[in-house]
Amino acid sequence: MDWFYSFPHMNDGSLSALRNAIDDGFRGFTRSYGDAIEGLFQPLQAFLIWAERLLTGTPWPVVLLVIAGLAWLASRSWPIVLGAVATLLIIGWFDMWTDTMRTISMIFVCTVIAVVIGLPLGILMARSDRLSRIITPVLDVMQTMPSFVYLIPVVMLLGIGRVPGVIAVVIYALPPIIRLTNLGIRQVDRETLEAARAFGSSPWQLLKKVQLPLALPTIMAGMNQTIMMALAMVVIASMIGVQGLGQPVLRAINNQYFTLGLFNGLAIVGIAIMFDRVTQAYGRRLQKHQEAMHD
């Protein structure tokens, strides 16, 4: 009756042979094409270095004014602006300014890449049910796969450093912007679309002047979630050399430095709250604007 209690499975020898074949194939691929693949990501490396040098090299009062200005333009809310400024001042007072700027530069680069990839994919999914059925399971895997797993193939291909960390973060943070772009465009009122077609709008004009503007609040919600998920990967990405607030947290875990981990962890939380409030406020403003236009 052992067969009844033990699930039928591949024998150990065959399973080991299969694993070894896959591992050897991936190692061979890495040795053969690793340098060429690494060369493809040189522009990303340059973008990362530029963003980091821009934020770390700019005097802190200028950075503070720029962030306050962006928060005001997005939210039109003084409490949110003052909250963002206070958060950054406290972070700087606790001597975490440079690491915070490195983290913000990484989040900025990851968000730009996610939008550049996710927005067109979401639009294509909204236009094609077949493509949506193909991509949706891939997004499910990307969202449910443990984040540590992303690091294995990326590190084997590209080694340790900023670029593999950013790639892993983008893979983890990409699904929300794709899903919510698709959802936002699909939820655009059919009567509005029919009216635009009746006035002779081409598919491109329909997308640019009707669908994207009406879907923008939902797309902004997707961007908000993408930023939050990217920030959630900060500590994990620090394991493969991404500099920022994640590295002190990792060092605190390894050496049992309670206050170091607590302060840097709270800094990550503060940045997350700041981004969340600003992007949510901007999304609400867009929503009110669209409702006013409909009225």
Side-chain angles (χ1 to χ4, degrees):
M1 291 290 291
D2 289 344
W3 64 270
F4 186 77
Y5 294 99
S6 177
F7 197 87
H9 61 276
M10 187 183 296
N11 64 67
D12 293 340
S14 300
L15 186 59
S16 178
L18 177 63
R19 287 172 175 167
N20 290 336
I22 294 172
D23 290 342
D24 290 342
F26 192 77
R27 290 192 194 99
F29 178 82
T30 301
R31 285 193 294 268
S32 300
Y33 302 103
D35 291 340
I37 292 172
E38 191 172 346
L40 292 175
F41 288 101
Q42 285 302 316
L44 176 57
Q45 174 90 0
F47 185 26
L48 279 165
I49 293 171
W50 172 82
E52 185 175 310
R53 286 178 178 171
L54 177 66
L55 284 175
T56 56
T58 304
W60 69 266
V62 177
V63 174
L64 209 58
L65 284 172
V66 170
I67 291 177
L70 292 173
W72 169 252
L73 290 173
S75 66
R76 293 292 198 276
S77 168
W78 284 114
I80 290 175
V81 173
L82 293 175
V85 170
T87 298
L88 292 173
L89 285 174
I90 293 169
I91 284 171
W93 193 66
F94 279 96
D95 196 26
M96 296 180 290
W97 183 265
T98 301
D99 283 338
T100 299
M101 292 302 103
R102 286 172 175 158
T103 296
I104 291 176
S105 67
M106 186 197 74
I107 298 303
F108 167 71
V109 171
C110 291
T111 303
V112 169
I113 295 170
V115 170
V116 168
I117 296 172
L119 199 61
L121 272 177
I123 292 168
L124 290 173
M125 286 176 67
R127 287 175 172 269
S128 170
D129 290 337
R130 180 180 296 178
L131 186 64
S132 181
R133 285 193 295 269
I134 293 170
I135 294 179
T136 297
V138 178
L139 298 179
D140 292 339
V141 171
M142 290 168 67
Q143 283 190 293
T144 55
M145 183 80 73
S147 52
F148 286 97
V149 177
Y150 296 132
L151 304 181
I152 299 170
V154 173
V155 170
M156 288 181 70
L157 279 173
L158 300 171
I160 302 294
R162 294 184 183 94
V163 171
V166 167
I167 292 171
V169 171
V170 169
I171 293 171
Y172 183 72
L174 190 59
I177 188 70
I178 299 176
R179 288 184 185 277
L180 288 172
T181 299
N182 175 29
L183 179 66
I185 292 175
R186 287 179 180 271
Q187 286 183 335
V188 173
D189 185 58
R190 291 183 179 275
E191 292 182 1
T192 305
L193 293 177
E194 291 300 325
R197 290 192 185 99
F199 281 103
S201 297
S202 66
W204 169 247
Q205 289 173 326
L206 201 65
L207 176 67
K208 183 182 176 183
K209 297 183 178 180
V210 179
Q211 290 175 305
L212 283 179
L214 292 176
L216 201 53
T218 307
I219 294 171
M220 282 302 303
M223 191 180 298
N224 173 281
Q225 292 304 305
T226 291
I227 293 171
M228 295 301 103
M229 292 180 74
L231 276 165
M233 280 284 287
V234 164
V235 178
I236 295 170
S238 69
M239 297 174 64
I240 57 172
V242 175
Q243 295 181 329
L245 292 167
Q247 285 196 335
V249 174
L250 187 64
R251 192 163 65 250
I253 292 170
N254 292 332
N255 297 283
Q256 297 183 358
Y257 297 148
F258 175 72
T259 53
L260 180 68
L262 178 65
F263 288 166
N264 283 271
L266 288 174
I268 295 171
V269 172
I271 295 170
I273 292 172
M274 181 178 71
F275 280 128
D276 180 64
R277 295 296 182 271
V278 171
T279 52
Q280 281 199 18
Y282 185 56
R284 286 194 296 270
R285 283 186 59 229
L286 289 172
Q287 187 72 48
K288 289 178 181 176
H289 179 68
Q290 297 298 341
E291 290 173 357
M293 286 182 63
H294 275 289
D295 292 340

